[in-house]
Amino acid sequence: MAVDYTVIVVYLAGMLAMGWWGMRRAKSKSEFLVAGRRLGPALYSGTMAAIVLGGASTIGGVGLGYRYGLSGAWMVFTIGLGLLALSVFFSARVSRLKVYTVSEMLDLRYGGRAGLISGVVMWAYTLMLAVTSTIAYATIFDVLFDVNRTVAIILGGAIVVAYSTLGGMWSITLTDMMQFVVKTIGVLLLLLPIAVVKAGGFGAMRDELPAGYFDPLGIGGQTIFTYVLIYTFGMLIGQDIWQRVFTARSDRTARWGGTVAGTYCLAYALAGAVIGTAAKVLYPHLGSADDAFATIVKDELPVGVRGLVLAAALAAVMSTSSGALIACATVANNDIWSRLRGLARRSGEHDEVRGNRVFILVMGLAVIGTAIALNNVVEALTVAYNLLVGGLLVPILGGLLWKRGTAGGALAAVAVGGLAVIGLMAGYGILANEPVYYGLLASLAAYVVVSLATRPTDEAVLAAWRERLAGRSPELPSEAVPAHQ
């Protein structure tokens, strides 16, 4: 394993070096939180693909392939569909808003009264997303170094917190680009063909496994519908995703770069399912489907290649973890703490960089501590996505698509949808499908009814909103800096 260890150590050292380099670039709030809003197509596509394809998409995607065959691709496939929908239909408008958080968008659209409550919901979602990504370090470092769960979480979490705190979005962008390259080589170009060959090829796989493993709908229609509802719509409204859209240098970059990243996700989804199917042929009696990735990597790959593929898994986890961490800290500082203290929206740029850096460090420590204490990752992530979709999908899309939506309707949608989801999870169970179904319907009903029952949004607010959507907002100082590819 010496060669494999060397590969991993060099990779981790590279992450920290990128963090140090990013610290020298992040001299303003815009540079620190959204990379100066000047990423070109190459960086934008790679980093967007990196953040949405995390440990759940890699380790979990292979596990679903092990359990269900090719239809196990649907979870990651719906993530790709969500990214495609965001890029084609909404990314240009989102990018032109020139904001830092989803809650700031709601304030602009509804007149400054929806941000705090939506910020709390978004903070809970991003915190749980960061926590669940951090827990995944335990699986990877256990395979690598045979260390216990707590040490693995602290080791992986500390590296992510370090480079994220140092350079903010610039560090995360550079590390995500490296992680994108490592994932592409490790999973698509190495593990996928090796796994298929080791399993005897597609013909042998068909002979060994039941026909249901090759049924594209074998996982079940209701499960696919739930994935669409949670992951596809979740891609449309998550702060972690929007914050990447804010980094694009132009509408065209956001639209086409996101489309490339979404298409890459579709290919990654199919690759994970095929690898999992091959693992089922090679190891038909694993104790847990989620062990399929680590098992096939550990037992079937040659020295050096094994280290690179494990680095790819580590890259997947780290990219999602760092993206969720900076999103969590941004929301906590800009949407909750600043509002509660009544701070001015604009203060000295250097003070804001320092403040956001402190929040990343504090939130990072909270994420590591929560990850150590938490046991059921799936339930935590389900709660997060149910709250996100049930509470925020309607007011966000309603604000973008329906002129008659009001601040009262938005607040009612967040409150009713969020409370309905929580109550229904208590009744049906956290992992049940009904909470997000009925919670979303309750949120929609509250939004429409209260919006129609209250006075329309002030025309001056809507006029300012239209100006922002058209890209005629005041230019930020950092936006005059030449774009980076």
Side-chain angles (χ1 to χ4, degrees), residues 1 4 8 297-299 301-311:
M1 293 288 286
D4 297 327
I8 298 298
V297 168
K298 194 172 184 178
D299 293 350
L301 299 186
V303 172
V305 173
R306 178 172 51 204
L308 184 59
V309 173
L310 287 172

Side-chain angles (χ1 to χ4, degrees), residues 396-407:
I396 292 172
L397 294 189
L400 290 169
L401 301 174
W402 190 39
K403 178 182 176 180
R404 187 61 180 81
T406 67

Side-chain angles (χ1 to χ4, degrees), residues 260-284:
V260 170
T263 304
Y264 178 89
C265 291
L266 303 184
Y268 200 88
L270 184 59
V274 171
I275 292 168
T277 305
K280 183 66 176 179
V281 173
L282 295 168
Y283 312 99

Side-chain angles (χ1 to χ4, degrees), residues 313-339:
L314 193 59
V317 175
M318 294 180 89
S319 58
T320 300
S321 181
S322 59
L325 175 59
I326 194 172
C328 179
T330 303
V331 170
N333 188 16
N334 292 269
D335 292 337
I336 300 175
W337 181 246
S338 294
R339 294 170 194 268

Side-chain angles (χ1 to χ4, degrees), residues 170-191:
W170 268 122
S171 294
I172 292 171
T173 295
L174 296 171
T175 54
D176 277 1
M177 194 64 199
M178 181 184 292
Q179 289 157 358
F180 169 74
V181 172
V182 170
K183 278 193 289 192
T184 301
I185 296 173
V187 176
L188 296 183
L189 302 184
L190 293 176
L191 181 58

